[in-house]
Amino acid sequence: MKKCRTHKRKLTSEMSDEAGWRYYSDNFIPVDCKDLQSDGYINSGVYEIYPYGTMTSPVRVYCDMTTMEGGWTAIQKRVDGSVRFNRTWTEYKNGFGYPEQNVWGGNDIIHQLTKERNSSLYVSITLHNGTTLYEMYDTFSISDERAKYKLFLAGPATGTLGERMINPGSSKRKLSGMYFTTRDRDNDKYDINCATLSETRGGWWFNACTYTFLNAPWYPAKWKRPWYPAVTIDSRIVRTMMLVKRQ
């Protein structure tokens, strides 16, 4: 054959000749959903990514390909109370749930997705009346386990939820710079472990404690401050999402 067509454009440096044949290898490894979008995947859904950059550690994630130009990787998603979020340090470290519906992506994976990259965070809360409120932070990352998955957030922040994680109006509620806390690992600044209180049972970057918390027991359980004051105890939530995307 004098002509052939590959599925993707290949550089001649990626090809080799042998006995009249031209060989090429496909070394494309999607690290995140933005890589998949760049490779032509345009539909939101569950995909495999390789955050560690090798084919040996695939991770199933939900990719949002429509919000804010798409390419977002979901690190948290909730649509009902079928998956319990009151979990241990190890469970939050490794991740749990199902990316199709309810999931925590895993703190190790979140660190891998955001380390040494300029990444943004998009948070959304959808209410039972169909209203979706959101807040997007320009800069987001978390440290590794040795540094207790410390949260780093920076603005500008824009959206309809209101910025409540960096400058919430109270130094005791500021989350940027906080360590991650679970029911069995108390790293917050409150006298009692915030992750064990009735209205805040679940892992989070608590201070003492927080005005924003998306991992609480699901409705009809008491969810005191999902995102105060925009979303309060009287607001019925039908979906939450936390999305990250490198810039």
Side-chain angles (χ1 to χ4, degrees):
M1 302 292 292
K2 298 202 175 186
K3 291 183 180 180
C4 71
R5 177 176 292 168
T6 64
H7 290 286
K8 303 168 187 172
R9 289 184 301 172
K10 310 301 293 185
L11 301 174
T12 55
S13 59
E14 297 174 322
M15 301 181 183
S16 60
D17 292 304
E18 181 183 335
W21 289 90
R22 172 159 285 187
Y23 295 90
Y24 74 93
S25 61
D26 184 3
N27 296 319
F28 173 68
I29 301 177
V31 172
D32 54 20
C33 294
K34 186 172 183 179
D35 275 348
L36 287 167
Q37 184 190 47
S38 298
D39 202 48
Y41 295 88
I42 60 173
N43 296 319
S44 297
V46 176
Y47 296 89
E48 276 194 351
I49 62 170
Y50 301 84
Y52 294 93
T54 68
M55 297 296 288
T56 58
S57 303
V59 178
R60 295 178 71 246
V61 298
Y62 181 83
C63 294
D64 185 319
M65 300 302 195
T66 57
T67 298
M68 296 286 187
E69 300 180 352
W72 295 91
T73 304
I75 59 173
Q76 191 258 28
K77 183 182 178 187
R78 302 181 78 183
V79 298
D80 57 40
S82 61
V83 172
R84 177 177 51 85
F85 274 65
N86 184 18
R87 303 272 184 148
T88 65
W89 179 269
T90 299
E91 289 174 298
Y92 269 98
K93 164 188 168 73
N94 297 327
F96 54 84
Y98 310 94
E100 296 87 349
Q101 293 184 315
N102 304 281
V103 70
W104 182 261
N107 289 340
D108 278 353
I109 299 299
I110 300 172
H111 166 66
Q112 193 66 29
L113 287 171
T114 59
K115 74 170 188 176
E116 300 175 356
R117 298 185 180 101
N118 293 324
S119 299
S120 299
L121 173 69
Y122 180 95
V123 180
S124 67
I125 299 177
T126 301
L127 305 177
H128 74 285
N129 62 5
T131 301
T132 296
L133 304 173
Y134 76 93
E135 197 71 19
M136 187 169 72
Y137 291 86
D138 186 66
T139 304
F140 164 74
S141 67
I142 70 170
S143 63
D144 61 14
E145 185 177 18
R146 290 176 298 177
K148 306 174 188 176
Y149 302 119
K150 186 176 182 179
L151 174 65
F152 297 92
L153 274 176
T158 58
T160 52
L161 274 170
E163 196 293 292
R164 303 296 285 170
M165 299 179 79
I166 302 174
N167 297 303
S170 169
S171 60
K172 294 182 179 180
R173 301 294 187 265
K174 178 182 177 180
L175 300 192
S176 183
M178 294 300 105
Y179 301 118
F180 202 79
T181 288
T182 58
R183 68 189 190 195
D184 60 340
R185 195 75 65 89
D186 186 358
N187 295 316
D188 61 45
K189 293 187 176 182
Y190 196 49
D191 294 339
I192 303 171
N193 185 342
C194 291
T196 63
L197 299 177
S198 61
E199 67 270 20
T200 51
R201 291 195 304 273
W204 197 246
W205 298 276
F206 292 112
N207 187 330
C209 289
T210 180
Y211 283 148
T212 60
F213 179 47
L214 301 186
N215 292 340
W218 195 260
Y219 178 89
K222 184 182 292 186
W223 193 343
K224 193 172 183 179
R225 292 189 184 97
W227 201 282
Y228 182 83
V231 185
T232 64
I233 192 171
D234 297 321
S235 304
R236 183 173 175 182
I237 296 172
V238 297
R239 189 178 72 172
T240 69
M241 293 186 72
M242 296 175 65
L243 310 172
V244 298
K245 181 170 66 172
R246 57 189 165 85
Q247 298 168 10

